[in-house]
Amino acid sequence: MDEITDTGTVIHADRTLNGYIGGLPAGTDTPPVVVKSGHPAHAIAEGTSYGPSSKPDPKIVKTEVAAPNSTDTRAIDATGYTCPLKIHPVTE
């Protein structure tokens, strides 16, 4: 998952197993599903709303996602302000 700011900066999401709002259960390190072509899936992305070094948050104008182990990137309707960004495994 990448977010692109209004200045063209790309913010790459850190891939983590879990975080503040979700992800895999504690003690689990294997995603429970395999994403199959043509089937819907979702993952949890989270970010904090503060800029680095007390600077303003970057304005996100485009968000791009790709399924695990894929280079087929799709733009989704997710804009706003966020930094740093984390993405957790697909769970359904």
Side-chain angles (χ1 to χ4, degrees):
M1 177 174 186
D2 293 329
E3 292 183 322
I4 295 89
T5 70
D6 56 349
T7 62
T9 301
V10 176
I11 299 172
H12 300 289
D14 290 330
R15 295 177 183 208
T16 62
L17 295 177
N18 53 42
Y20 180 72
I21 61 172
L24 298 179
T28 303
D29 62 0
T30 304
V33 299
V34 174
V35 178
K36 296 179 182 177
S37 179
H39 295 271
H42 74 269
I44 295 176
E46 64 181 82
T48 53
S49 185
Y50 65 88
S53 304
S54 300
K55 295 179 182 175
D57 297 339
K59 181 177 181 184
I60 305 305
V61 296
K62 183 176 180 183
T63 301
E64 298 178 335
V65 298
N69 302 317
S70 171
T71 58
D72 184 15
T73 303
R74 306 293 172 123
I76 61 170
D77 184 23
T79 60
Y81 297 86
T82 186
C83 186
L85 182 66
K86 295 182 181 191
I87 186 81
H88 310 309
V90 172
T91 56
E92 289 183 21

